[in-house]
Amino acid sequence: MASTPKQSYEQQPLNAQQRARNSGMINSSQSPTGDDREEEMSRSALAMFRAKEEEIERRKMEVRDKVHTYLGKVEEETKRLAEIREELESLTDPLRKDVGMVRKRIDVINKELKPLGQTCQKKEREYKEALEAFNEKNREKTQLVTKLMELVTESEKLRMKKLEELSKNIDSLH
């Protein structure tokens, strides 16, 4: 720590004349005007010291005031930030609830969709199998109808041929 002017002044060693005067002994070689001059210098030094102390104290108070002002501003800003944070949280809370509700509903629907999707796939397979069976039977029916038409046509030809033969036999009998 730096020493204040008061400390350094108090810590300075006293010179021999000052020690002698303080002890009550006056040196015979000193004149009363020298003492006055020394006393005046002491008073001047003391006045300077007091002026410096007052200046230091004044500056100290200025710095303390600035610090208090700054701390006040910091406290105000902290309060403002806390208010802003609260406002932000109040803005996001309803959204969080809505989002949470929508997500839960999506999860429920996903759970419902899974068995429905499996049922759809199963029904699609069954439909495809039924459609294939239907188409196969339809082809078979078409082939059988074609075969039937051929047989009916063949049968008609044969009967007509027989009828013609019988008709010739009857005509030849007469």
Side-chain angles (χ1 to χ4, degrees):
M1 253 187 192
S3 60
T4 63
K6 180 179 180 180
Q7 289 172 334
S8 60
Y9 179 75
E10 289 175 350
Q11 292 173 352
Q12 288 178 354
L14 299 173
N15 63 28
Q17 290 177 348
Q18 287 173 332
R19 275 186 255 145
R21 189 175 4 155
N22 286 343
S23 66
M25 294 188 251
I26 297 178
N27 194 344
S28 61
S29 66
Q30 287 184 332
S31 67
T33 57
D35 280 342
D36 289 341
R37 202 174 95 208
E38 255 185 51
E39 196 172 309
E40 184 62 33
M41 283 177 50
S42 291
R43 278 188 215 141
S44 172
L46 187 58
M48 271 187 3
F49 170 74
R50 284 184 183 150
K52 291 243 185 219
E53 279 296 309
E54 287 172 3
E55 175 69 16
I56 289 171
E57 192 62 31
R58 186 182 61 75
R59 284 189 180 180
K60 188 169 137 183
M61 293 302 284
E62 286 175 4
V63 169
R64 184 177 295 148
D65 289 344
K66 284 180 183 178
V67 167
H68 286 309
T69 303
Y70 182 75
L71 287 175
K73 287 179 183 178
V74 167
E75 286 176 13
E76 287 176 22
E77 292 299 318
T78 302
K79 286 178 187 176
R80 281 186 61 215
L81 287 174
E83 289 172 3
I84 290 170
R85 185 180 326 128
E86 286 176 17
E87 287 179 27
L88 281 174
E89 288 173 359
S90 70
L91 286 176
T92 57
D93 266 349
L95 296 177
R96 284 183 187 166
K97 289 178 184 176
D98 291 343
V99 167
M101 288 174 24
V102 169
R103 284 183 177 169
K104 285 180 183 177
R105 185 70 182 132
I106 289 171
D107 290 342
V108 168
I109 290 174
N110 276 338
K111 288 177 183 175
E112 293 171 356
L113 278 175
K114 187 175 181 180
L116 290 173
Q118 290 172 344
T119 302
C120 281
Q121 289 175 350
K122 181 181 175 184
K123 299 283 183 185
E124 282 177 353
R125 276 193 307 272
E126 289 174 2
Y127 171 76
K128 286 178 183 177
E129 290 170 2
L131 185 62
E132 286 177 21
F134 174 79
N135 287 336
E136 182 63 32
K137 292 295 178 187
N138 226 2
R139 278 191 296 272
E140 190 176 337
K141 177 186 162 190
T142 304
Q143 288 173 354
L144 289 173
V145 167
T146 304
K147 181 77 170 171
L148 176 65
M149 294 299 288
E150 288 174 3
L151 289 174
V152 167
T153 305
E154 187 67 31
S155 172
E156 285 176 356
K157 282 182 186 177
L158 286 174
R159 282 188 303 165
M160 286 300 276
K161 193 176 183 184
K162 278 276 186 191
L163 279 173
E164 280 179 23
E165 283 178 18
L166 284 175
S167 182
K168 279 186 187 177
N169 280 343
I170 292 179
D171 283 341
S172 59
L173 287 176
H174 273 108

